[in-house]
Amino acid sequence: MDVVARHLATIDRLRTRDLPAGGAGHHTVELETGHGPGPAADDLHALRESIAQRLAAHWGEAPPWGQLTLRLRLARGEDIPEPWATLCLRTDELDVWQAGTLWLAIGVADRDESDETRLLATVTRTAPP
């Protein structure tokens, strides 16, 4: 199984898991981890794009959602629901789809230069703000 197919299978399993009771609930998993900026981050961005293309074939085209506006809203003290508040601090953009009553997001967490770069997938009941 190729790496994209493996991550798509993980996302499918994530969509079928029970979300935590109470509130909106969400699950976020690391699909892949790179070490440091540069090529590792570039590889994860390319992998995210490949996964997004396959998901778009199933769920429809979804332009990437820039996270700067959410970061500015947080900085002004606005209450941004989870998982979107954390995702906007960790990623610069997300690919987001609505799948029935769930929302699916994938993005590369590469904003912290002192941390590893991570390809994330999130499933939640909470619509993006």
Side-chain angles (χ1 to χ4, degrees):
M1 176 183 299
D2 71 26
V3 67
V4 172
R6 181 170 42 90
H7 292 320
L8 289 170
T10 299
I11 290 168
D12 281 341
R13 285 190 304 275
L14 188 63
R15 288 183 39 247
T16 61
R17 285 178 55 192
D18 288 335
L19 292 173
H26 66 275
H27 291 297
T28 299
V29 297
E30 293 178 10
L31 298 174
E32 193 93 16
T33 302
H35 302 286
D42 293 344
D43 290 345
L44 290 184
H45 281 282
L47 181 55
R48 187 205 85 203
E49 183 64 31
S50 295
I51 293 168
Q53 287 174 356
R54 299 269 291 274
L55 290 171
H58 186 70
W59 297 107
E61 291 296 322
W65 292 42
Q67 300 298 295
L68 179 59
T69 300
L70 280 185
R71 284 194 294 275
L72 291 172
R73 289 168 59 189
L74 273 174
R76 288 193 313 244
E78 188 173 333
D79 185 27
I80 304 296
E82 290 298 341
W84 307 107
T86 298
L87 289 171
C88 82
L89 295 173
R90 296 185 71 193
T91 65
D92 282 325
E93 66 180 27
L94 295 171
D95 293 289
V96 180
W97 295 268
Q98 186 174 9
T101 62
L102 297 177
W103 289 87
L104 167 65
I106 58 170
V108 176
D110 62 353
R111 294 188 41 76
D112 184 350
E113 292 179 14
S114 66
D115 195 11
E116 295 176 321
T117 303
R118 303 165 198 284
L119 177 60
L120 305 176
T122 297
V123 172
T124 182
R125 288 186 195 103
T126 304

